Each structure stands twice: as C-alpha cells, then as structure tokens.
C-alpha cells in the first residue's frame, strides 16, 4: 500500500505510516476563513526500492465556512432592589452575554416574564443596556424581567436570562380633609376619627388611623383630653 506524509498550518491532520484507513481534518474550535489553512503533501508507493515519495510536494488549501454559534449567558444577571420615589439605575454588564462569533453584534431586549405590559415608570435603553426610572407609590411589588441577547446574523440566534426587581414600599404620609361640625350649645362634643377625613391612599396596603396632632388651638372654646386642656402641638388618639 501507499502512505501520505503531510504537514499542516492550522488544525490537525490524522494519518498512518503503514496504511491509511481514513484521513480527516479538524479545524480549530470556532474558527473559519477563506482560505483558512493549507498543507503540503507527498504521495508514496511501495516500489522495488521501497517507498518513493513524489517531488515536489503538492498543496491543499482549506476553506472553512462560518456557522452561527448561539450566544451564551456568561454571567447571570443579579437580582435588583428599587425604592419607591427613589431614582433606580441598573446597567446590564457588558460580559453578561457573550458570543464566540467575533463578527457579530449582540442586541438586547427586555420584557416581563409573564407577558404583562411593561411598567410605565421603568425605561430600558437597548443601546446602553440601561434600566432606569423612579417608581411611584403604586409601583411597589416584584417584577420578573427577562433579558434577551440576539446576534446579528441573517438568521439570528438568541439566549435569555431573567432577574427579579423588587420595588420596596416606604411609609407615605396620610391625608386629612376639612370638615364642618354642628354642635349643640352647652353640650361637649367627643371627636372620632371620621371627623378628620383620614385616608392613606399612597400606602399599599393603606395604614389605619393612628393619632391626630393639634396644629393650632380653636379661637374659642377648649380642646381637652380626658378633661385636661391641651396645648398646640399636642397629639391625641381617638376612638373610631
């Protein structure tokens, strides 16, 4: 039989001196080019004088066509925390998603995992990978966000990762409302919580009435707690 002697510029050539049951070539991982590599060879036979080799050597040029590799999550996205009425910023790290294809550009998109509408307070800029916004009192809760990185090939491939954004509640001040009372002469009046128009619309869940502060005393009559006159700035707890 004959044998093949070969040298190669890139990749690996597999062969045998005694016989050649199969010969194959393996490019380096995730590599391509046109041309990509070449190798030279000399063929030999088993003549009367032993093995003779062809001269000069010949050349095989190899062209490796690219394939689109799937992007990967290199560093999982960390969960985030935002606070009501406080500006929030989070930028997806540049190394969160990677692609071995050096001639592609990743683009990004964000959505809620459950498919519900995107919250109005939260913005996402795909060009800078930046989440930003200021949540309001009605935006508290948990958002499960999925980020998708897509490559720029004609038939793009993508990968996704999720993170949780917790919007924490803060204690908002309640509201009161002006009112008018009709009393009977010489009959004391006991105030109740309903007289002050209490509401707590900004807290979720809303808080209960706690106390009232007397900002200024009435210009006639006496305010008292259990029969003891009080001064401006005093606090009082009331029955419902």
């Amino acid at each position: 039989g004959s044998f093949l002697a070969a040298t190669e510029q890139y990749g690996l050539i597999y062969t045998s001196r005694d016989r050649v049951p199969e010969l194959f070539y393996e490019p380096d991982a995730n590599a391509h080019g046109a041309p990509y590599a070449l190798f030279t060879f000399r063929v030999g036979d088993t003549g009367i004088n032993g093995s003779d080799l062809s001269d000069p050597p010949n050349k095989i040029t190899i062209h490796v066509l690219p394939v689109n590799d799937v992007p990967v999550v290199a560093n999982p996205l960390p969960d985030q925390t935002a606070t009501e009425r406080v500006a929030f910023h989070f930028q997806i790290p540049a190394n969160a998603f990677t692609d071995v294809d050096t001639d592609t550009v990743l683009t990004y998109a964000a959505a809620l995992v459950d498919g519900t509408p995107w919250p109005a307070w939260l913005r996402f800029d795909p060009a800078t990978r930046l989440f930003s916004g200021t949540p309001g009192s009605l935006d508290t809760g948990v958002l499960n966000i999925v980020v998708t990185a897509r490559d720029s090939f004609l038939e793009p491939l993508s990968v996704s990762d999720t993170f949780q954004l917790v919007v924490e509640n803060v204690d908002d001040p309640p509201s009161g409302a002006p009112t008018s009372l009709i009393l009977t002469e010489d009959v004391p009046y006991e105030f109740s919580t309903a007289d002050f128009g209490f509401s707590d619309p900004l807290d979720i869940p809303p808080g209960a009435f706690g106390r009232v502060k007397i900002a200024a005393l009435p210009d006639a009559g006496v305010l008292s707690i259990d029969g003891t006159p009080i001064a401006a700035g005093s606090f009082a707890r009331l029955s419902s």
Side-chain angles (χ1 to χ4, degrees):
S2 62
F3 72 91
L4 178 68
T7 59
E8 195 274 325
Q9 191 175 19
Y10 301 105
L12 299 175
I13 293 288
Y14 296 87
T15 186
S16 166
R17 180 177 178 83
D18 296 330
R19 61 187 183 89
V20 186
E22 67 178 45
L23 176 68
F24 61 94
Y25 174 77
E26 181 180 351
D28 296 333
N30 300 309
H32 61 273
Y36 171 73
L38 62 87
F39 69 92
T40 59
F41 65 91
R42 301 169 68 188
V43 293
D45 63 11
T46 54
I48 297 175
N49 298 323
S51 177
D52 294 323
L53 294 176
S54 63
D55 194 51
N58 290 286
K59 177 177 69 175
I60 289 181
T61 302
I62 298 174
H63 303 269
V64 179
L65 299 177
V67 296
N68 188 9
D69 295 279
V70 181
V72 298
V73 177
N75 295 282
L77 299 176
D79 292 337
Q80 300 293 310
T81 301
T83 302
E84 172 191 340
R85 301 197 308 277
V86 177
F88 168 77
H89 298 88
F90 168 58
Q91 186 175 38
I92 298 172
N95 63 351
F97 301 91
T98 59
D99 194 325
V100 296
D101 296 321
T102 57
D103 52 351
T104 190
V105 176
L106 295 180
T107 57
Y108 300 87
L112 297 185
V113 172
D114 60 7
T116 55
W118 188 256
W121 72 268
L122 183 60
R123 297 181 300 276
F124 177 64
D125 184 349
T128 60
R129 311 181 309 280
L130 180 66
F131 292 90
S132 63
T134 302
S137 58
L138 300 181
D139 298 317
T140 57
V142 178
L143 297 174
N144 292 298
I145 297 174
V146 56
V147 176
T148 300
R150 180 173 283 102
D151 65 25
S152 57
F153 280 86
L154 183 61
E155 297 182 359
L157 299 175
S158 63
V159 66
S160 298
D161 193 23
T162 61
F163 71 95
Q164 192 173 83
L165 173 56
V166 178
V167 181
E168 295 182 337
N169 185 29
V170 297
D171 189 14
D172 295 287
S175 297
T179 188
S180 179
L181 299 175
I182 299 176
L183 309 183
T184 302
E185 181 182 343
D186 298 330
V187 178
Y189 180 81
E190 181 181 359
F191 288 95
S192 68
T193 58
D195 295 323
F196 297 91
F198 170 84
S199 65
D200 194 20
L202 299 181
D203 281 333
I204 301 175
F209 187 100
R211 58 182 180 170
V212 61
K213 180 179 181 179
I214 306 303
L217 295 174
D219 51 9
V222 177
L223 279 177
S224 63
I225 297 177
D226 295 333
T228 301
I230 63 174
S234 299
F235 288 90
R237 297 188 181 276
L238 306 173
S239 64
S240 58

